[in-house]
Amino acid sequence: MRLIICDPTDASAIETMRAAGIEVDVRDTITLEELETVIADYHIMVVRSRTTVRAPLIDKATNLKAVIRGGVGVDNIDVAYAESKGIEVRNTPAASSNSVAELTIGYLFALARQIPQVTATMKDGKWEKKAFSKGSELAGKTLGIVGCGRIGAMVGEKAAALGMAVLGYDPFIAEMASCILKEEDLDEIFARSDFITVHVPHTDGTHYILDAAAFAKMKDGVYIVNCGRGGTVDEAALCDALASGKVAGAALDVFEDEKVERGQRLMAFPQVIGSPHIGAGTREATARVGGEVAQIAIEIARR
Ligand code: NAD
């Protein structure tokens, strides 16, 4: 069984696959053009988000049995077309959940105490003790979670442990962890939360789930966190809500356009903090993703 690694993958996972008898070629900087010339030699390909797997490549993958995506989203793979050609598409959905949940919690603290902004003043040699002594505690505040799947639920558990009241909205989940109060109406989340965090995928049903109408229903001075997917928050509406003071601050790891605009409109607001889609970017998540990729590859190779 021959496997090609197309994107950077944990070294111990590669060793595990080799030890199981899989012939692994690491080509993690390969271009799409090169890949098209060699793909017929492989039975399994491993990608993360760098490599796109679309029809022209799939048509040349005449021996491919499976594409394994290390990570959650499979937007970079034409899943339906691959499956129509008998190619299985697998991912590692749970491996990075805790890392994303921890980043979200980190952002709650950072927003409540303006940690990045005050750090910037210290680096400028300033001592703005008075200006930055008006933060708030998380304990006793209400966190509204939109989307209570793997990550949303973990955020809820961690926030509850910090003493927050946690409300969750997810019409597709029958039962939630006991620390999350299930709300049937999204407007209740908007009306009652001091902090709102979004953990839904970006679909037709979740596009702009936080839009101008949603912001209008929120408490004055609400804080927004999005470590889910760009496109779930209407960034133009968020800019307006920040400008008017309706939203006191926002923390964003994902953006509508991560290639060209890259969240720059939002980052221009001093009360907005953010990161370049690093939610899953921890050593632990990388190791877990690698471990799951290796497990899936070995399972497929042994069939
Ligand atoms: P998940 O599938 O376990 O949970 C998503 C939840 O959203 C599901 O429970 C689903 O029922 C719910 N949902 C769908 N439509 C909804 C709606 N209209 N209203 C309310 N809830 C709705 O996914 P997950 O693993 O928890 O991931 C959540 C998001 O985080 C995904 O978009 C994923 O791509 C993203 N993510 C981001 C990073 C990052 O680096 N920032 C890393 C991993 C995952």
Side-chain angles (χ1 to χ4, degrees):
M1 188 69 65
R2 292 194 72 191
L3 180 149
I4 182 164
I5 303 258
C6 304
D7 290 346
T9 298
D10 188 52
S12 64
I14 294 168
E15 277 171 39
T16 306
M17 292 188 278
R18 286 186 173 142
I22 301 174
E23 198 181 319
V24 180
D25 287 341
V26 179
R27 303 284 308 272
D28 56 14
T29 55
I30 195 165
T31 63
L32 209 49
E33 293 72 32
E34 280 180 285
L35 190 55
E36 286 186 9
T37 66
V38 301
I39 194 66
D41 296 340
Y42 294 96
H43 306 103
I44 303 175
M45 70 186 290
V46 172
V47 302
R48 292 212 63 173
S49 54
R50 188 189 73 94
T51 302
T52 49
V53 185
R54 306 274 178 233
L57 179 67
I58 294 168
D59 285 338
K60 294 185 177 68
T62 45
N63 290 303
L64 204 64
K65 291 181 188 308
V67 181
I68 307 174
R69 154 77 161 107
V72 186
V74 285
D75 352 6
N76 55 322
I77 302 167
D78 190 338
V79 179
Y81 191 67
E83 287 176 350
S84 78
K85 299 276 173 181
I87 299 167
E88 196 179 340
V89 178
R90 301 277 294 269
N91 63 349
T92 63
S96 55
S97 305
N98 192 57
S99 294
V100 183
E102 286 193 6
L103 182 66
T104 303
I105 297 292
Y107 272 142
L108 295 179
F109 281 116
L111 286 170
R113 303 299 295 269
Q114 294 188 281
I115 299 169
Q117 292 92 337
V118 71
T119 300
T121 65
M122 293 295 287
K123 286 180 185 287
D124 275 352
K126 296 175 186 156
W127 188 265
E128 298 193 349
K129 184 177 167 78
K130 201 170 168 196
F132 284 97
S133 293
K134 294 168 191 147
S136 64
E137 292 186 355
L138 296 183
K141 301 297 181 304
T142 298
L143 173 68
I145 304 177
V146 181
C148 300
R150 285 174 292 262
I151 298 170
M154 275 189 178
V155 169
E157 282 164 22
K158 292 174 198 297
L162 295 170
M164 299 188 85
V166 183
L167 311 177
Y169 173 75
D170 190 326
F172 307 104
I173 285 185
E175 263 186 55
M176 296 213 187
S178 58
C179 60
I180 304 176
L181 181 67
K182 190 177 194 306
E183 289 292 353
E184 303 298 340
D185 185 352
L186 187 52
D187 285 354
E188 282 295 310
I189 300 269
F190 296 153
R192 294 171 56 194
S193 303
D194 302 300
F195 294 80
I196 295 177
T197 183
V198 182
H199 298 286
V200 288
H202 184 219
T203 62
D204 289 347
T206 62
H207 183 70
Y208 288 175
I209 197 164
L210 297 198
D211 60 4
F215 291 123
K217 291 173 191 155
M218 294 177 194
K219 284 188 182 179
D220 292 339
V222 67
Y223 291 94
I224 305 294
V225 180
N226 189 6
C227 291
R229 269 288 183 274
T232 54
V233 175
D234 178 346
E235 291 184 359
L238 178 56
C239 285
D240 291 344
L242 285 157
S244 73
K246 179 78 185 177
V247 171
L252 306 158
D253 186 48
V254 292
F255 300 89
E256 280 184 39
D257 172 4
E258 297 188 355
K259 292 217 160 63
V260 181
E261 204 270 344
R262 301 194 152 172
Q264 287 313 297
R265 255 177 323 161
L266 280 161
M267 295 312 299
F269 286 88
Q271 64 272 46
V272 173
I273 57 178
S275 45
H277 205 144
I278 59 162
T282 63
R283 289 187 295 276
E284 291 81 359
T286 303
R288 277 195 299 269
V289 165
E292 285 192 29
V293 163
Q295 254 180 3
I296 296 167
I298 292 166
E299 176 209 311
I300 292 167
R302 286 188 178 153
R303 271 186 204 151

